Every structure is written in structure tokens, then in C-alpha cells.
Amino acid sequence: MKLKKLLSQSIIALCALCFITGCSEEKTTESQKEEVKGNCPIVECMKKIEATNTMEEINDIIGFESTKDAMIGSDPIWKFDSKNWISFKKNSNDETTIQATIDKESLKDDKIKLPLSSDLQKDLNNGSFTYEELVTKVGGEGTLTSISKGSLSYTWVDKSGQRLGATFNNESGKCTVASFR
């Protein structure tokens, strides 16, 4: 009987100690588990990269060397974490495209108001629009997601997660392709 009482008092004391000191199971999110590496966040690194950069120059900008990941493809990539990476692609004409894959959750912006697809198509058909004009229309800057000799592509994500991608010709400054996902 004395042993039962001592045991139950010990259990109560242990539970009280855990409650008071906060010893409980900690829940960590995926982003807390993974450590982002490099000299800059992926969005900032993309702003520093140019289509003429070599892989070695990009290594220096990003702060670590590229790798290959069979799950993502055969192109060299700089993997910041499981949802964010930059890939380096050369086409048959030896032209480079630097493409960022960025978790759309991190790009959501409450200020962004995406236009209707039909309105965007009408604008494209009527002489197109510049990046600055689209920024004004949607209410915020896009995130640079692709760099090539001939164009730059940007992505906007509204608060509901709808994504707009637009590619702008480097020479004319006009949008050549826009798509919703």
C-alpha cells in the first residue's frame, strides 16, 4: 500500500515537473528541420546571377557547389533545401538558362491581385505590356525565376496560392508569355 502511494506521488510529481518546465513533445515544421545554406536566400541569389555567368561564378554567388539530383533531373543544381533549388541548363546552341524552383508558399503575397486570364490575354494581344506595367496591375513585384540571354521570367503568387508566370523579352521589355497555375 505504501509502495503504491509512493509510486503514484512520484508519477504526479514527474507530471507536474514536466508541465511546469515545458517538457512536452516539440512539433517542428519541415522548414525548421532543414537548414538553408549559401551566401544568400534563393530569391536574392537569383537577382545576382546573370545568363552569362559560368557555373564557377554561380558557385561563388550562391556559396556552395552545384550537384546533380536524379529525382530533379540531369542538370546541375544548387539545392538550398528540399523545396528550393536553382538549375543550370545549356541548350543545343550552348545558350544557358538559369531556372529557380521556389516553394510557392514562401511567395504568397496578400497584396497581389491577379488579373483575369481573359484580361491578360487581351493585353498580350493588344501589343503586350512591360514588367513595370504588370507590377502596377497586380499590385507588387514578381519573383525572378528564370534567366536567359533573351528573357527574364517572373512569378507572382496571390494569397490563395494561384500563381502567375510571365516571361519578358530582354530586347523589347514586353511580355511574350503569361500563364496561370
Side-chain angles (χ1 to χ4, degrees):
M1 185 78 156
K2 211 175 192 177
L3 185 59
K4 269 186 171 179
K5 187 175 179 180
L6 183 61
L7 185 58
S8 83
Q9 285 175 343
S10 297
I11 291 173
I12 291 171
L14 186 59
C15 288
L17 179 64
C18 285
F19 179 75
I20 291 168
T21 61
C23 296
S24 62
E25 182 181 326
E26 286 188 37
K27 295 182 180 177
T28 56
T29 64
E30 192 68 28
S31 62
Q32 289 171 320
K33 288 181 189 175
E34 296 189 55
E35 188 176 309
V36 178
K37 56 185 178 178
N39 291 336
C40 45
I42 189 170
V43 171
E44 295 306 313
C45 285
M46 281 296 287
K47 291 176 184 177
K48 297 176 181 180
I49 296 171
E50 297 177 12
T52 56
N53 287 137
T54 65
M55 286 188 49
E56 291 75 21
E57 291 169 330
I58 297 172
N59 287 340
D60 290 340
I61 291 167
I62 294 174
F64 58 92
E65 291 190 18
S66 66
T67 61
K68 292 193 179 191
D69 186 325
M71 295 298 288
I72 296 171
S74 60
D75 297 315
I77 64 166
W78 291 266
K79 195 168 183 179
F80 288 74
D81 60 41
S82 66
K83 296 181 180 181
N84 299 283
W85 60 87
I86 295 173
S87 62
F88 183 92
K89 301 174 190 212
K90 284 219 182 243
N91 68 17
S92 58
N93 296 335
D94 208 32
E95 293 176 351
T96 302
T97 300
I98 294 112
Q99 178 79 41
T101 299
I102 305 172
D103 178 26
K104 81 173 184 177
E105 291 300 312
S106 68
L107 300 180
K108 280 185 179 180
D109 187 341
D110 292 345
K111 296 179 289 187
I112 299 298
K113 304 289 184 243
L114 298 179
L116 295 173
S117 178
S118 57
D119 290 343
L120 204 56
Q121 187 61 50
K122 187 171 68 174
D123 289 344
L124 279 169
N125 292 340
N126 290 331
S128 193
F129 46 86
T130 65
Y131 171 78
E132 292 77 15
E133 290 168 335
L134 188 55
V135 165
T136 301
K137 182 180 280 245
V138 301
E141 296 281 329
T143 301
L144 182 60
T145 53
S146 182
I147 302 164
S148 72
K149 179 181 173 188
S151 64
L152 297 174
S153 296
Y154 294 86
T155 300
W156 289 262
V157 181
D158 69 11
K159 65 183 176 185
S160 69
Q162 185 174 10
R163 186 179 359 196
L164 168 63
T167 301
F168 297 87
N169 180 285
N170 287 343
E171 195 172 305
S172 70
K174 297 285 188 168
C175 183
T176 56
V177 176
S179 63
F180 288 95
R181 288 192 250 177

